[in-house]
Amino acid sequence: MTKQAIILAAGKGTRMKSKLYKVLHPVTGKPMVKHVLDNIRQAGVSEIVTIVGHGAEQVKELLSNESLFSMQSEQLGTAHAVSMAKEHLGAHKGTTIVICGDTPLISKETIENLIAHHERSGAKATILSAKTHQPFGYGRIVRDEYGNVERIVEEKDASFEEKLINEVSSGTFCFDNQALFEKLALVKNDNAQSEYYLPDVIRLLKEDDARVEAYTTEYFEETLGVNDRVNLALAEKLMRRRINQMHMLNGVTLIDPDTTYIDSEVEIGQDTIIHPGVSLKGRTVIGTEVEVTAHSEITNSTIGEGAKIKQSVVTDSVVGAYSSVGPFAQLRPGSDIGREVKIGNFVEVKKAKLHDEAKVSHLSYIGDAEIGERTNVGCGSITVNYDGQNKFKTVVGKDAFIGCNSNLVAPVTIGDGSFVAAGSTITDDVPEASLALGRARQTTKEGYYKK
């Protein structure tokens, strides 16, 4: 039996009060609608149609080859939005799941269970429901004395007794695809808002004595729809808790999960220790037995096994196994740090490769450079890479020693095994196994202070 999905992502989201289109707001580093699409795909649904309206081009750019698209030029209600997908799915058979693009917390497991329940029961429609002690604002699931679903009643239309029902609709549904599009054509907009509502399809199916089911998820929090910044913050908190729990169960130590911020696509190896206040962002991959100490920020980077990142910022970079970075260091984009390298306090590295066992221990800038194996760069040394118009490269060979407060004015090459004396400014290449001095001659005027 084929499986299709329709993602509703055409609403403007005025309550977000944002220039950014609602479903593109990120939750744990990934746009909400991308969470929804990824969860659907992981649940085994291959053909997806996203209904777009406001911000259509941005949504299309984000989802590109992962979805088909249908345009809802006028927002006339959820049933109207779903009907836009007829151009792609109208002739299909099988199961179609309809889900909102602002519900990033509905997990792939819940989607799998919803589809399985729908297909196993032989229903024409299945509602994803949940139970809550605070049902205000949600459509209630009304069942008969035998527990069969009768209808969904909206808050504004519910009687006093119906408002006491604690089983609510999530706004996510499974349908028999042919029955869905047949009934969509019959939905009317004779209501206060003059809109075409998807729950009316449930009523029309029941009028034909079709079987309608509800699958009740254990996790009410999954049904949260993000309509404003308050909901966005809550979704972020709930998703972060889920992510952190997953990593801890996989063998990662989070000393204080409540203050650890890990994006959804981050990978972390076993026996890694993450201290409070750490942010791991984007597509970061962290190996086994790594330690990341308090308030470090790592973005789109790879950290090798056994490495230690101490109160530092790492962006778009690679840190090799058993290397040490920080405290208070910054690896800017393009930094490639080898094995057992030491990057010390207040060191900044940008677009540079440091080979195995190199050391830049403190207060240095290494930009547009290559530093050889076992080379030591002394305190306060700088690769002078920019002349105001162009960037140039510095190459330092292996087993070299760069004395403190040295300026290596690029383009320049320091040979293997060479020494640069402290306080030197080097503008010419230095051959292998040589000593380079570029200091002004010292002048001492004795007794000058007394004068």
Side-chain angles (χ1 to χ4, degrees):
M1 185 177 289
T2 61
K3 298 179 180 65
Q4 304 80 227
I6 300 171
I7 301 175
L8 304 182
K12 187 176 181 180
T14 53
R15 281 182 281 173
M16 295 295 288
K17 293 183 170 58
S18 174
K19 294 179 181 178
L20 183 64
Y21 181 48
K22 180 173 77 166
V23 298
L24 297 179
H25 278 266
V27 174
T28 59
K30 184 160 69 173
M32 287 190 284
V33 71
K34 187 66 165 63
H35 277 289
V36 173
L37 184 141
D38 288 348
N39 290 336
I40 290 170
R41 283 209 176 281
Q42 290 168 19
V45 179
S46 56
E47 187 161 6
I48 299 171
V49 178
T50 302
I51 309 302
V52 294
H54 296 285
E57 293 309 313
Q58 295 174 56
V59 176
K60 287 181 179 181
E61 183 179 358
L62 172 69
L63 303 183
S64 59
N65 299 326
E66 298 181 87
S67 176
L68 300 169
F69 300 94
S70 292
M71 173 66 73
Q72 186 191 23
S73 299
E74 293 184 273
Q75 277 65 60
L76 301 178
T78 50
H80 178 256
V82 173
S83 69
M84 297 297 101
K86 186 175 181 179
E87 61 178 326
H88 297 298
L89 303 180
H92 284 48
K93 295 183 179 180
T95 299
T96 295
I97 182 169
V98 178
I99 188 169
C100 296
D102 62 358
T103 55
L105 294 170
I106 298 178
S107 66
K108 78 174 185 69
E109 291 82 9
T110 295
I111 295 170
E112 287 171 343
N113 293 337
L114 171 65
I115 294 171
H117 181 93
H118 173 76
E119 295 181 347
R120 188 168 54 245
S121 68
K124 292 296 183 183
T126 302
I127 307 157
L128 177 62
S129 69
K131 292 185 177 180
T132 175
H133 297 300
Q134 296 179 315
F136 179 80
Y138 287 87
R140 310 301 203 279
I141 306 296
V142 180
R143 296 178 182 264
D144 65 20
E145 57 188 303
Y146 303 106
N148 300 313
V149 174
E150 285 191 333
R151 66 188 185 279
I152 300 172
V153 60
E154 298 300 326
E155 174 80 30
K156 63 182 182 300
D157 301 319
S159 66
F160 177 78
E161 291 77 14
E162 288 169 338
K163 287 180 178 179
L164 297 177
I165 296 171
N166 69 350
E167 184 182 6
V168 299
S169 170
S170 68
T172 296
F173 304 86
C174 267
F175 293 99
D176 173 272
N177 191 73
Q178 293 292 300
L180 170 63
F181 285 101
E182 177 189 329
K183 297 306 180 187
L184 281 171
L186 303 176
V187 173
K188 306 295 184 184
N189 66 339
D190 49 357
N191 53 63
Q193 282 72 36
S194 296
E195 292 189 351
Y196 300 89
Y197 291 128
L198 187 59
D200 284 351
V201 172
I202 303 296
R203 176 181 55 78
L204 291 167
L205 288 169
K206 290 295 294 184
E207 288 176 359
D208 284 353
D209 292 324
R211 185 178 184 84
V212 174
E213 285 281 319
Y215 170 74
T216 306
T217 177
E218 298 177 52
Y219 309 106
F220 171 71
E221 64 184 33
E222 286 194 9
T223 67
L224 175 71
V226 177
N227 293 311
D228 55 32
R229 306 291 181 132
V230 176
N231 294 152
L232 184 66
L234 179 57
E236 178 82 23
K237 182 177 182 178
L238 294 171
M239 183 73 79
R240 179 158 49 86
R241 186 173 68 190
R242 182 189 298 177
I243 290 169
N244 289 357
Q245 201 167 66
M246 179 266 291
H247 285 298
M248 289 187 287
L249 291 172
N250 286 340
V252 177
T253 295
L254 305 183
I255 291 175
D256 183 6
D258 289 340
T259 60
T260 303
Y261 306 87
I262 303 175
D263 279 0
S264 55
E265 297 187 349
V266 172
E267 300 175 30
I268 309 176
Q270 291 182 353
D271 292 317
T272 284
I273 301 171
I274 309 294
H275 290 248
V278 168
S279 293
L280 305 178
K281 300 179 179 181
R283 295 182 177 273
T284 290
V285 178
I286 295 181
T288 60
E289 299 181 343
V290 172
E291 185 172 8
V292 183
T293 70
H295 307 297
S296 294
E297 181 180 298
I298 304 174
T299 305
N300 294 326
S301 297
T302 300
I303 312 298
E305 64 174 323
K308 180 173 281 192
I309 311 296
K310 297 174 285 187
Q311 290 93 34
S312 295
V313 177
V314 181
T315 307
D316 297 326
S317 296
V318 176
V319 177
Y322 305 106
S323 289
S324 174
V325 176
F328 313 118
Q330 181 176 200
L331 303 185
R332 289 169 55 194
S335 299
D336 185 354
I337 309 302
R339 289 175 61 93
E340 299 182 55
V341 171
K342 181 180 180 183
I343 303 294
N345 53 290
F346 303 106
V347 170
E348 182 176 344
V349 180
K350 187 271 294 183
K351 198 178 176 182
K353 182 173 181 63
L354 280 74
H355 290 272
D356 297 351
E357 300 181 57
K359 292 180 176 63
V360 186
S361 294
H362 28 226
L363 298 162
S364 294
Y365 171 71
I366 307 296
D368 297 282
E370 183 172 351
I371 309 297
E373 291 94 335
R374 297 174 298 282
T375 285
N376 185 88
V377 177
C379 174
S381 295
I382 295 172
T383 59
V384 185
N385 58 334
Y386 184 49
D387 67 359
Q389 291 184 323
N390 299 297
K391 298 287 181 70
F392 299 96
K393 187 175 182 179
T394 297
V395 177
V396 180
K398 61 186 178 183
D399 299 306
F401 185 92
I402 309 300
C404 294
N405 285 335
S406 293
N407 299 307
L408 308 181
V409 183
V412 69
T413 298
I414 311 298
D416 294 348
S418 288
F419 285 71
V420 172
S424 294
T425 296
I426 303 299
T427 56
D428 298 324
D429 291 350
V430 178
E432 294 183 6
S434 300
L435 170 64
L437 299 93
R439 304 171 182 164
R441 183 177 295 277
Q442 179 176 324
T443 300
T444 303
K445 297 183 180 293
E446 294 187 14
Y448 181 82
Y449 177 76
K450 293 178 181 179
K451 292 181 182 179

